[in-house]
Amino acid sequence: MKIKIAADGFATLTLDNADESMNLVSDAFIAEMMDAIAQIAANESIKGVILTSGKPAFMAGADLKLLVQGYETMTLKSAFAFSQKASAMHRAMETSGKAWVAVMNGLALGGGFELALACHYRILIDDPKAVVGLPEVNVGLLPGSGGTQRLIRIAGMKTGTELLLSGRAVKGPEALALGIVDAVVPVAEMDAAARAWLATGPNPVKPWDVKGYALPEQRGLIIPEYSAGMMITSGSVAKSGYNLPAPIAILSCIYEGAILPFDKALTVESKYFAKLLTSPVSRNIIRTTFLSKGAAERGAGRPAGVPKTEFKKIGILGAGMMGAGIALASAQAGVDVILIDRDVESATKGKAYSETVLGKQITRGTMTQDKADAIVARIKPTDNFALLEGCDLIIEAVFEDIDIKAETTRKAEAIIPSTTVYASNTSTLPISTLAEASARPDKFIGLHFFSPVDRMGLVEIIKGAKTSPATLAVALDFVAKLRKTPIVVNDSRGFYTSRVFQTLIHEGGAMLGEGVPPAVIENAAKAVGMPVGPLALLDELTFDLPLKIVEQAIEQEGSKYIVPAGVSAMKKMKAQGRSGRKTGGGFYEYPAEGGKKLWSGLADIFPVSVDYDVEELKQRFLYTQAIETARCREENVIETSEDGDLGAVYGWGFPAWTGGTLSYIDTIGVAKFVTECDHLAQKFGPRFAPSAWLRDRAATGTNFY
């Protein structure tokens, strides 16, 4: 960082971390900043300070690669000291006797915005990409250097609480309206605006350092609306995710800090920050949802030495729900799409999906008509395979039938160049089997998109037995083009995500057969953090799909295959003429007036027993998915723990607080996990039994990370 003092007596302190592309909070930064503050405070010629950045962004927060190590490397005492050190730096700024103005020439998030909040005035560049906010809750943490306390004192408790709990980034106009920035100006006027404010001779004392200062909300215990608001917010936080400690800690900081002197409040904040930083939850969330996700999106699994593929035109075979969704995602990425179906009318219906989705965005004001028109214009619906000539990639998304897919493959390969990669979008059919219909199996690969494609960010890339590294590279390049997150798996029955996801729904069916009340089953799954209960999920799938997968597995593996414990419940429901939502109802009934409710006839088919333990039910849901993931890792279906966890969190919604299925095993401890699995296996069957491979890992203390 550099200090430059102008003739008007105003010093400009420019942040510019030479070792990173962005300014980040670190011990070195804090030490350097403290030294600069001391120089400024001691220099009587300096009348005020302009704090800005020499990089395109103002400042981000702490380096997540360092924070993720907090669980293993920090004690509560050292984590508290880290927070207090950063808080002391900000207090040194605002009590230096000089007025500070933050000139935010780009985004200011996390510790970067905390730095700006410690200034006496905040100016943000007038740019849609420039946002401010405190997103720490999204990584299982809270602002640890005064952010919780300054924000509620600057914006008020209601606004401050909402921003802290949502962690959302705020654009300039809204930030100005909320009072968390003081001016939004064009880049050419930012320095002049800062000097103009400093020239007014502003008071360099923060309101909370004036004797007698008190937030109106400090009377919350006796003013009903404040007290009621805090209780409602607390209830909402508990309901939405009591496995997540960060929102609760943030509320505690707000409530306790608001009724304490400012410096005491900062101590409270540091204590809660230290607890979060040294918990496995923040480690798990940061590692999977930021570090592993970022690495995957940057091409961590891409074969080296393969030139990058540029996609100008692709062909999509099948304009149903999946094909239409892939077409929209591709067109949004700037790729021309040939969308083929059995006739032009069917293909045109697939294109209409894009028009419908974008039309809703236009209505909401998040999309302009001209931009939507340009996206839709990239999609050409047709029944003419000859138009596939010149495509950089083919994605087949026809009905899940081997014979239909084989016929489609042969028709396409009669047109496309021998160098073109051919990808099949399938969730269960073996890629190696599908590739038998191809004249070039080395160019054949699986791309399993998730529905709805335009909203789901994960893509499961499946390598067949003959898929070449160059073909894998092309698939990864295309996923990157769509700005989605890839995981790479090897071919097997159900691949990875479908295989493990089914353990969740079958466990729900097994519990129902045991006599567990259906509402308890659904709520136990949601209590661990699953977005939807297993019975509701089965209704959406219809029972035919999981039962068909089981039948195929029995054909392929015979007596080696362990029939899932939930099959019996599904067959009983089918005997009643109830096979899921599409057939009129399954475990739930769907009234014409809307909504859904558990079917009243369930109690007659599955008599309810009171002999159940909710904590054990929650454990079963997590353990059944985790142990199946371990089997996939053992069988090399997934080659890395990172891919396993990304698939779990982003593929079927395994709770993010765990970091994913394999991270969850590590958090429990492999040895303890194996012991608990043995107990569950004795009680509920061999689906919970650990393999010799997993027992060896437990015996040697070998974690997945």
Side-chain angles (χ1 to χ4, degrees), residues 501-538:
F501 166 73
Q502 288 182 63
T503 65
L504 166 69
I505 57 178
H506 282 301
E507 200 63 27
M511 292 173 181
L512 193 64
E514 294 164 13
V516 179
V520 173
I521 295 170
E522 298 291 78
N523 287 330
K526 288 187 279 190
V528 299
M530 299 303 304
V532 183
L535 305 183
L537 283 169
L538 271 167

Side-chain angles (χ1 to χ4, degrees), residues 576-593:
Q576 300 294 317
R578 302 181 67 87
S579 296
R581 185 169 189 168
K582 290 181 181 178
T583 63
F587 295 114
Y588 285 81
E589 48 191 339
Y590 303 88
E593 60 271 18

Side-chain angles (χ1 to χ4, degrees), residues 20-33:
E20 300 283 350
S21 60
M22 187 174 289
N23 295 315
L24 299 171
V25 177
S26 65
D27 283 331
F29 165 77
I30 294 171
E32 194 172 352
M33 191 71 183

Side-chain angles (χ1 to χ4, degrees), residues 316-325 327 337-355 379-385 397-399:
I316 297 176
L317 315 180
M321 180 178 66
M322 294 303 296
V337 177
I338 303 299
L339 183 59
I340 293 183
D341 213 302
R342 62 181 178 272
D343 51 53
V344 174
E345 181 182 1
S346 298
T348 302
K349 286 181 180 178
K351 178 176 179 176
Y353 173 79
S354 294
E355 295 168 344
I379 303 173
K380 181 175 179 58
T382 183
D383 60 356
N384 186 1
F385 273 70
V398 301
F399 185 70

Side-chain angles (χ1 to χ4, degrees), residues 183-249:
V184 177
V185 302
V187 62
E189 301 174 17
M190 295 184 76
D191 186 69
R195 293 180 185 280
W197 180 77
L198 287 172
T200 65
N203 184 357
V205 179
K206 287 290 187 78
W208 44 84
D209 286 325
V210 176
K211 188 175 181 180
Y213 169 82
L215 270 167
E217 290 91 335
Q218 286 177 329
R219 302 192 301 273
L221 293 176
I222 58 174
I223 297 179
E225 57 265 35
Y226 291 141
S227 180
M230 182 61 75
M231 285 189 290
I232 292 170
T233 303
S234 299
S236 175
V237 165
K239 181 180 178 181
S240 63
Y242 45 80
N243 298 298
L244 299 170
I248 297 171

